[in-house]
Amino acid sequence: MSMPNPYSPHGRRERRWYSRFRIWNRFVMAVGYLALAYGLVRGVIYLLVLAKDWL
């Protein structure tokens, strides 16, 4: 039995796909964090408006 070639072209293709996938993951995570921050700010403003009505 021979050892697999670590420099096969298939491995290079997987690395390229992984780098694209990693960039996509960062984009998706950034959008998710922005959505969470927007919801948090909107909730705080809503609570401030309610507190203003109560006082």
Side-chain angles (χ1 to χ4, degrees):
M1 290 180 130
S2 63
M3 296 292 291
N5 185 5
Y7 301 107
S8 67
H10 298 293
R12 292 179 187 164
R13 287 181 190 161
E14 288 174 3
R15 286 180 191 161
R16 287 181 194 161
W17 168 248
Y18 181 71
S19 66
R20 289 179 189 168
F21 190 63
R22 188 170 55 199
I23 292 171
W24 177 249
N25 273 348
R26 286 184 180 176
F27 174 74
V28 170
M29 285 185 65
V31 169
Y33 280 126
L34 284 174
L36 285 173
Y38 172 75
L40 185 66
V41 169
R42 188 174 174 212
V44 168
I45 291 174
Y46 181 71
L47 287 176
L48 288 174
V49 169
L50 282 179
K52 183 181 175 185
D53 289 342
W54 287 337
L55 298 176

